[in-house]
């Protein structure tokens, strides 16, 4: 009669997700801080003239050129930071899964441990492909942050200039935009943590020859799907 070893479920590491979120927020905050530091004084100087300017007059052109130069600079910074940020994140997820699996195996009954030989390999084709695909996806996500932010901020700045808004209005709108950006980064970090944990865990278990899994409903959603609850 076959005996099956039931391992503890692999969970996403809250600490890893939090560190990833902090890294993304810190980099983005530094970009926004420089934009505000350079752009706002320039907007204040030209504030009285902007309401009476039409077309491609100097104040508007100057502000747009300044904003474009800052955003271009930060796009290069994000492009440079994206690969190491993504690689560290995925490696930490991988290490966390290995640690959880090892601890679970070490806690197995002695009847299993006496005949259990487990070899962990970081270089199997399956693991390499899983990690590389996740790193690539996160690199692209990180690189997209400045471009998505730049579209929104340019719209706000142009709107402020065209409507003759004062600096207080622009500052308030940019603050709201930063909050929205932070919320988006929080969702990205959480989503990528859960996805990376699932993908790496699946690849690792496949390498170890684990062929059966037990469905457990997380009860995380406010309105769980009935078929998911029934399968628990």
């Amino acid at each position: 009669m076959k005996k099956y070893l039931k391992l503890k479920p692999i969970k996403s590491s809250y600490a890893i997700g939090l560190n990833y979120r902090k890294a993304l927020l810190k980099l983005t905050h530094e970009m926004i801080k420089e934009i505000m530091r350079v752009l706002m004084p320039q907007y204040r100087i030209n504030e009285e003239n902007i309401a009476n300017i039409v077309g491609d007059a100097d104040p508007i052109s100057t502000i747009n050129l300044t904003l474009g130069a800052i955003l271009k600079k930060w796009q290069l910074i994000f492009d440079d930071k994206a690969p190491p940020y993504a690689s560290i994140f995925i490696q930490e997820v991988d290490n966390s899964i290995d640690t959880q699996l090892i601890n679970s195996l070490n806690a197995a009954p002695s009847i299993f441990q006496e005949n259990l030989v487990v070899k962990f390999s970081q270089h199997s084709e399956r693991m390499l492909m899983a990690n590389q695909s996740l790193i690539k996806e996160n690199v692209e996500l990180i690189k997209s942050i400045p471009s998505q932010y730049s579209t929104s901020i340019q719209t706000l700045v142009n709107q402020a200039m065209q409507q003759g808004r004062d600096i207080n209005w622009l500052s308030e709108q940019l603050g709201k935009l930063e909050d929205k950006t932070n919320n988006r980064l929080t969702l990205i970090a959480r989503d990528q943590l859960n996805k990376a944990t699932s993908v790496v865990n699946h690849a690792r278990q496949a390498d170890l020859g684990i062929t059966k899994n037990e469905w457990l409903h997380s009860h995380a959603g406010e309105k769980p799907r009935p078929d998911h609850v029934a399968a628990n």
Side-chain angles (χ1 to χ4, degrees):
M1 180 179 178
K2 289 184 177 180
K3 292 184 179 292
Y4 293 94
L5 174 60
K6 183 177 179 179
L7 302 176
K8 292 181 179 179
I10 300 297
K11 298 181 179 180
S12 299
S13 170
Y14 175 79
I16 293 174
L18 182 62
N19 288 338
Y20 190 43
R21 172 180 172 272
K22 285 181 177 179
L24 298 182
L25 287 176
K26 183 176 184 295
L27 192 61
T28 304
H29 176 71
E30 289 174 354
M31 174 184 70
I32 295 174
K33 184 179 179 181
E34 179 172 351
I35 289 173
M36 298 288 282
R37 178 177 59 81
V38 175
L39 185 64
M40 300 309 282
Q42 192 172 62
Y43 191 89
R44 185 186 297 277
I45 291 173
N46 294 285
E47 187 175 352
E48 294 182 1
N49 299 326
I50 287 173
N52 301 316
I53 296 293
V54 294
D56 295 327
D58 285 345
I60 295 178
S61 299
T62 300
I63 289 175
N64 277 325
L65 285 172
T66 299
L67 181 59
I70 298 173
L71 291 170
K72 183 177 180 180
K73 167 191 170 182
W74 277 97
Q75 183 62 65
L76 294 174
I77 293 174
F78 273 78
D79 289 351
D80 180 62
K81 297 288 187 181
Y85 277 26
S87 296
I88 291 172
F89 170 57
I90 299 304
Q91 187 59 57
E92 288 180 343
V93 171
D94 195 338
N95 292 342
S96 173
I97 290 171
D98 282 357
T99 298
Q100 291 182 66
L101 277 172
I102 290 172
N103 290 339
S104 187
L105 290 168
N106 287 337
S110 58
I111 188 174
F112 288 102
Q113 292 193 19
E114 291 173 358
N115 301 292
L116 190 62
V117 177
V118 178
K119 293 182 179 181
F120 283 81
S121 173
Q122 297 290 342
H123 305 292
S124 72
E125 183 177 357
R126 185 183 285 108
M127 287 299 299
L128 288 174
M129 289 181 63
N131 285 1
Q132 288 172 1
S133 66
L134 289 167
I135 291 172
K136 181 180 179 180
E137 180 174 341
N138 278 269
V139 165
E140 295 305 316
L141 280 171
I142 295 171
K143 286 182 176 181
S144 73
I145 293 172
S147 61
Q148 294 199 11
Y149 181 80
S150 68
T151 300
S152 299
I153 192 174
Q154 285 177 324
T155 298
L156 282 176
V157 171
N158 286 331
Q159 183 179 350
M161 291 188 293
Q162 291 166 5
Q163 297 177 2
R165 299 284 189 174
D166 62 21
I167 194 170
N168 293 327
W169 181 90
L170 180 59
S171 179
E172 180 182 353
Q173 297 305 311
L174 291 177
K176 292 178 180 179
L177 176 59
E178 182 174 7
D179 290 339
K180 290 181 180 178
T181 303
N182 291 344
N183 290 337
R184 175 175 173 262
L185 295 180
T186 298
L187 291 174
I188 287 176
R190 183 173 61 192
D191 177 69
Q192 287 302 308
L193 172 65
N194 292 331
K195 180 175 182 178
T197 300
S198 176
V199 170
V200 174
N201 183 40
H202 183 272
R204 172 62 72 210
Q205 291 191 10
D207 270 359
L208 295 177
I210 298 174
T211 58
K212 293 182 181 295
N213 287 280
E214 183 181 59
W215 175 273
L216 291 175
H217 188 260
S218 67
H219 300 284
E222 294 182 3
K223 297 180 179 179
R225 291 166 57 178
D227 55 333
H228 284 190
V229 177
N232 195 32

